[in-house]
Amino acid sequence: MQLNFISVSGNRLSGNIPNHLGDITSLTYLDIEANQFSGTVPTQLGKLVNLEILKLSSNRLTGNLPNEISQPTNMTDFRINDNNFNGSIPEFMQNWRQCERLEILGSGLKGPIPSSISLLENLQQLKISDIDGTNQAFPDLRKNTRLRRLRNTEIHLGNE
């Protein structure tokens, strides 16, 4: 199958994200935002090596983000807002050197914000809020000369 675009945003779809989506390796765009998907993000999504845009926001997703989803190195847009994930913001995002938009708002993930975010030199929009974590310095973004929008509305420190 040579399908490259799937968007089922805002359809009240529920259950787990289908594992077999990982078999559509030609996909460059996957948008399942604003549904009622639950469970964990399938590791099979890591097989989507051509994926550029992945939107998982506004679902009921849980668990840790699997390291396998770092495999698509052409990722330009990654959104995981408004979910119930566990664990820390993953370091693997540093593999996404082409990333232009990264959104982690109310995702359930904890800090610290990885300093490796500064390696995303093509980043134009970075939105992070509502993360718990330890006291930390904000990553040095001086090399991110394309950054046009930064939103960091609320970070809860564990020692407060």
Side-chain angles (χ1 to χ4, degrees):
M1 184 182 306
Q2 292 300 309
L3 188 62
N4 63 5
F5 186 98
I6 293 178
S7 177
V8 293
S9 178
N11 284 294
R12 295 186 184 171
L13 298 173
S14 60
N16 294 330
I17 298 171
N19 291 340
H20 61 271
L21 287 175
D23 296 332
I24 310 172
T25 57
S26 57
L27 273 183
T28 60
Y29 186 103
L30 178 58
D31 179 358
I32 63 166
E33 286 184 315
N35 282 290
Q36 297 172 9
F37 285 110
S38 58
T40 59
V41 175
T43 59
Q44 290 85 344
L45 294 187
K47 296 191 304 185
L48 301 175
V49 294
N50 294 306
L51 201 60
E52 296 173 10
I53 298 172
L54 180 58
K55 299 179 183 181
L56 303 175
S57 296
S58 299
N59 280 289
R60 298 175 180 167
L61 299 171
T62 59
N64 292 318
L65 287 173
N67 288 331
E68 288 82 357
I69 65 170
S70 70
Q71 298 305 311
T73 56
N74 294 324
M75 190 74 70
T76 60
D77 189 338
F78 183 72
R79 303 180 202 183
I80 56 172
N81 308 321
D82 189 28
N83 277 295
N84 299 305
F85 292 115
N86 300 341
S88 298
I89 298 172
E91 286 281 344
F92 65 67
M93 293 177 191
Q94 69 184 336
N95 296 338
W96 298 338
R97 298 299 175 105
Q98 302 305 313
C99 193
E100 297 173 358
R101 183 172 185 161
L102 179 60
E103 293 187 12
I104 308 171
L105 303 164
S107 66
L109 293 177
K110 297 183 181 354
I113 300 169
S115 61
S116 59
I117 276 185
S118 64
L119 299 174
L120 305 179
E121 294 182 14
N122 288 312
L123 206 56
Q124 296 174 24
Q125 293 188 46
L126 174 61
K127 299 179 182 181
I128 298 176
S129 75
D130 299 308
I131 60 172
D132 290 325
T134 58
N135 199 354
Q136 70 175 89
F138 196 80
D140 183 356
L141 299 176
R142 284 181 277 190
K143 292 183 181 178
N144 302 78
T145 58
R146 295 182 178 175
L147 195 60
R148 298 290 177 253
R149 186 171 184 149
L150 174 64
R151 180 175 177 193
N152 178 2
T153 57
E154 190 171 341
I155 297 176
H156 307 280
L157 301 178
N159 57 355
E160 290 186 336

